[in-house]
Amino acid sequence: AQSVSQHNHHVILSEAASLELGCNYSYGGTVNLFWYVQYPGQHLQLLLKYFSGDPLVKGIKGFEAEFIKSKFSFNLRKPSVQWSDTAEYFCAVNQGGGADGLTFGKGTHLIIQP
Amino acid sequence: DAGVIQSPRHEVTEMGQEVTLRCKPISGHNSLFWYRQTMMRGLELLIYFNNNVPIDDSGMPEDRFSAKMPNASFSTLKIQPSEPRDSAVYFCASSLAAHPRTSTDTQYFGPGTRLTVL
C-alpha cells in the first residue's frame, strides 16, 4: 500500500518569504503526484500535478513542485508567498491515472503573516 | 460551470439514525470518489466508481457504510446506524478519466458535507 508523509503540520511565514513544503511517498512503482490546496471555508482545489515528463512542474498561483524519484519526494515551492496563500496544503498520490483513488498526506497548515 | 454538488452541506443527527449524503458529479465525468476528512486520520478514500461501477471499496470503514451510483449523475453514501465517530467532513470528487490507466485528468472536489453525530 502506498502512503504519503508531509513533514510539517504547521508552517508560519511572513509575506515575501520563500516556501518549501515537504512531501514523501512510499511506493516503488510508477506513481502520479498531486498538490491540492484548501483555502479557509472552501473546497479542495488542484495546485499542480505530475504524471510524467519534466520533473519540475509548474502550477497555478506561482507554485511549482519537483519530483525526485530517487528520494521519493515531491516538494512544493513558491519563491515569494502572499497573505492570500494562507491555507491547508495536501500532497497526494495515486497509481492508476485520473480514475484511481488518491492517497493523501495529513496536510500542512500554512499561515502567512502580513 | 456547475462543479461537483453535494447535499446537505451540514447534517446533525443522533447516534443510531440513518444518514444519507448525496453527490452530483460534473456532467460528463465518469469517475466518482468519496473521501472522508477527520482531524485524526486526515483525508481518506472511502470508495470510488468508474462508469457507475464500484471499483475499490476497501476504504469503507465497516458494514454500516454503503455507497451507490444508480446513474452517471448521482451517487449516495449511506451510514446506518450512525455513530459519533462517524463525525467528519465527507467529500465527493469526480473526474473525466476516459481511459482509467492512462488518463491524466484531474479530480474535482465538491464543497463537502459536514456530518455531526451526537
Side-chain angles (χ1 to χ4, degrees), chain A residues 8-75:
Chain A
N8 311 102
H9 296 298
H10 298 277
V11 174
I12 301 175
L13 294 173
S14 298
E15 277 194 314
S18 64
L19 169 71
E20 181 161 1
L21 301 182
C23 172
N24 286 89
Y25 65 93
S26 65
Y27 181 72
T30 302
V31 293
N32 309 307
L33 297 152
F34 309 80
W35 275 98
Y36 278 84
V37 62
Q38 188 174 28
Y39 297 105
Q42 297 188 27
H43 52 90
L44 284 152
Q45 302 172 41
L46 183 72
L47 272 179
L48 47 80
K49 60 186 179 183
Y50 172 82
F51 280 78
S52 63
D54 189 344
L56 185 61
V57 180
K58 294 192 183 301
I60 61 172
K61 305 187 180 187
F63 286 92
E64 65 178 32
E66 185 175 11
F67 170 50
I68 303 179
K69 189 174 181 180
S70 61
K71 295 184 177 180
F72 297 90
S73 70
F74 190 57
N75 292 354

Side-chain angles (χ1 to χ4, degrees), chain A residues 36 38 43-44 46 49 51 90 94-102 104 106, chain B residues 33 35 37 40 45 48 50 91 95 97 100-101 103-107 109-110:
Chain A
Y36 278 84
Q38 188 174 28
H43 52 90
L44 284 152
L46 183 72
K49 60 186 179 183
F51 280 78
F90 295 92
N94 73 4
Q95 299 164 237
D100 193 20
L102 293 167
F104 282 90
K106 288 287 181 71
Chain B
F33 309 80
Y35 295 89
Q37 185 179 32
M40 290 298 294
L45 175 69
Y48 72 95
N50 288 153
F91 289 102
S95 71
R101 284 291 162 186
S103 166
T104 60
D105 292 296
T106 299
Q107 290 184 29
F109 282 75

